[in-house]
Amino acid sequence: MKPAPTLSSAFLEPAGHSLPGPLLELRKQRGTALVDMPLPTRKTENWKYSSRHLKLTDGLAASLPATGKNGLSLSLPGYRVVFRNGVMIPEASDFPDIEGILIQRFGDLDDSDAAALAERLDNTLDTRAVQMARLNSARFEDGLYIRLDKEAVLDQPLFFVHEVTGTDSGSAYPRIYVDAARHSQITLVEEYLSSGDQPVMVDSVTEFTLGDGANVTSVRLVMEGENVQHIGATGVRQAANSRFESHCVGFGGPLRRHDLMVRLEGEGGECKLNGVVVTQGKQHYDNHTSIEHVAAHCNSEETYRNIAADQSHAVFNGRIHIHEDAQKSNANMNNKNLLLSTGAEIDTKPELEIYADDVKCAHGATIGQLDKISLFYLVSRGIGRREANTLLTMAFINELVEQIPVQAVKDAAQIRLNEFFDQTFEEA
Amino acid sequence: MLSIKNLHASVEGEEILKGINLEIKAGEVHAIMGPNGSGKSTLSQVLAGNETFEVTEGEITLNGENLLDLETEERAREGIFLAFQYPVEIPGVSNLQFLRTAVNAMRTHRGEPEMNAAEFMKLAREVSKQVDLDPAFLKRGVNEGFSGGEKKRNEIMQALLLQPKLAILDETDSGLDIDALQVVSKGVNALRADDRAILMVTHYQRLLNHIVPDYVHVLAGGRIVKSGGRELALELEERGYGWLGVKDEETTPSAAS
Ligand SMILES: Nc1ncnc2c1ncn2[C@@H]1O[C@H](COP(=O)(O)OP(=O)(O)OP(=O)(O)O)[C@@H](O)[C@H]1O
Ligand SMILES: [Mg+2]
């Protein structure tokens, strides 16, 4: 048997940038372990549909220039941290110094915070399942550490904007770690953007740990261009009575992959995972989610919607694992898919592993097209084809868009959605 | 206004309409009755431009213009309105958004400025009162979870908002309780105008007590087998369709009210 391919040596060169000692040490360790890591292939179950879109050319191994020019002009309300090509741009960032809340780039951490962070990094992820997160751990050049002391509340959403300048080919490894102590609260918005046209790979990892009763909302908006492959992983660990909410809105590209892994480790924990994915052209988008009910009496609710136009391809894989001791678990997973063209493809797969007997677990998946009768009803009132198609497609995701708790994200998503509708639906 | 000549239409290769001839002038109200499955809804849908049905022969003109050349939305903008026998539920699109989009599409077509949300809300509230529909229904999804009667009132509300030249009402009276029938009839009568024609499909003479038609036609087996004045409806109520040479087992009206 042919051995599985491994990373080319170009990716194993030590990454640059100055980091505090403990983080450098961690990165080096992780790098050593990468040498014989098998890369995903068609035979790798969780990369079955996507491995052929993953292009790890040597050209992509290069670090990106620390501060590219041509930064996107961002006018974001509220608190923001701007990263460009994997490192923070302090001039573009603006966030408050709030008692009990640490918001700091990895590069600026003092040794004790850096040591504390180094101990935590990767502890929310099953790194066997998320191969590409291991590459991030070996190559991140900077990152954002957010630590909320007990009962600390960030009063406004914090935007983490990661921008690829696309002036050079290479890869970026944005990294976020959110440590939310008990009863603290934060809303973090991750926005992934790009300009330029050089091929780039973004390999991002975001981790959340929630203490007892912590309340964390994560909003993730992926809007990079056709030159960007984006592979992202989000790991979440929840203690008792904590609540985690995730709203992912993603637009397609040559490869978009997101692994979202939530572990409900304390009784009374609750998570809600919403996702909207829109693909067109030859784009590819793959969402893998995993919810582990480790402790008893937890609730999880997951709702994902894919819309695929043209020859694009969307994948949803939703795993729910209810451990033996997780009695009285309540898990609800729903995935609906809309094909806007006969050339589009959607693959959806629930994976249920239930080892406790007293649980409620419901799941459902559908794949359909726009309803012809509904369309006829709308146009019979004089509404144009494009508008009618748009209304019906929005109807498919409205409920999820409405739930996004940050208006600026809703607006940005709607603008991009309108472009998609204009490109997808012809005016008759 | 509307002229139908030798209209044949089929669905999945099966001919449903087998040579319909009908002339409707502005200001007139025509009623079409006939057994279940005789093609009444098919005729209505063909007029509105439903592509499920293929027109194989004949012509339809609206004020001299060939209707068959027009897409559904163009027909609507030219003034054709169909109140559906089974109004469609569209969860996720609010009724208000739907109605405003439709009204603005018409206004744009006529070269009038679009109505903004506030202006439209005012208009929609007024009209919803006219059909006795709580304005709260404006916020719900289009027909989503509406009762049968509420759906029918929503159809009439749309007709009142869109002010068509030809309103085709496909069994807008079925499934209505006595009060709702009054409300809907009032709405339809409000639509009556010298420059507007109404074509109503119904199984019941009782509607015709409220909305007095100028002509009554019997559609059976895809053809108009008899036409007359309103007294024809009374006769049908009394004698059924058998005496017209129409198969009798099909003569019971489908929907009880
Ligand atoms: N989409 C369709 N596919 C196949 N057959 C159809 C379709 N639509 C209508 N038909 C058939 O065409 C015939 C006429 O149907 P239509 O709905 O026009 O009858 P109708 O006169 O309106 O009846 P009713 O009084 O029950 O409403 C019926 O035999 C029906 O089954
Ligand atoms: Mg009918």
Side-chain angles (χ1 to χ4, degrees), chain A residues 376-377 379 381-382 385 398, chain B residues 45 73 77 82 92 155 158:
Chain A
F376 175 63
Y377 190 66
V379 296
R381 272 36 176 164
R385 300 271 155 176
N398 250 340
Chain B
Q45 297 272 331
E73 60 274 29
R77 292 168 196 163
L82 168 62
E155 294 293 284
Q158 291 165 45

Side-chain angles (χ1 to χ4, degrees), chain A residues 25 61 126 133 152 163 165 230 249-250 274 321 342 355 397 408 420 425:
Chain A
E25 189 51 39
D126 175 359
E163 179 198 344
T165 54
H230 188 144
V249 180
N274 286 352
H321 179 180
T342 47
Y355 300 102
I397 51 173
F420 169 80
F425 300 125

Side-chain angles (χ1 to χ4, degrees), chain A residues 10 14-17 59-66 85 139 141 168-173:
Chain A
H17 230 73
L60 288 175
S63 279
L64 292 169
N85 293 345
R139 298 215 42 182
E141 300 192 316
D168 301 78
S169 191
S171 43
Y173 303 88

Side-chain angles (χ1 to χ4, degrees), chain A residues 19 21 55 58 77 88 99 126 139 143 150 158 205 217 219 246 263-264 296 309 314 332 365 371-372 390 397 401:
Chain A
L19 284 172
K55 305 254 155 57
D58 284 359
M88 184 167 145
E99 166 100 39
D126 175 359
R139 298 215 42 182
K150 67 177 164 92
L158 174 66
V205 176
T217 299
V219 181
S246 158
R263 286 174 63 86
L264 294 156
N332 221 316
D371 180 40
K372 287 213 172 65
T390 297
I397 51 173
V401 174

Side-chain angles (χ1 to χ4, degrees), chain B residues 36-37 39-42 44 85-86 170-171 201 203 254:
Chain B
N36 292 140
K40 303 178 300 295
S41 292
T42 302
S44 309
Q85 181 175 0
Y86 304 108
D170 190 358
E171 295 199 26
V201 173
H203 285 291
S254 58

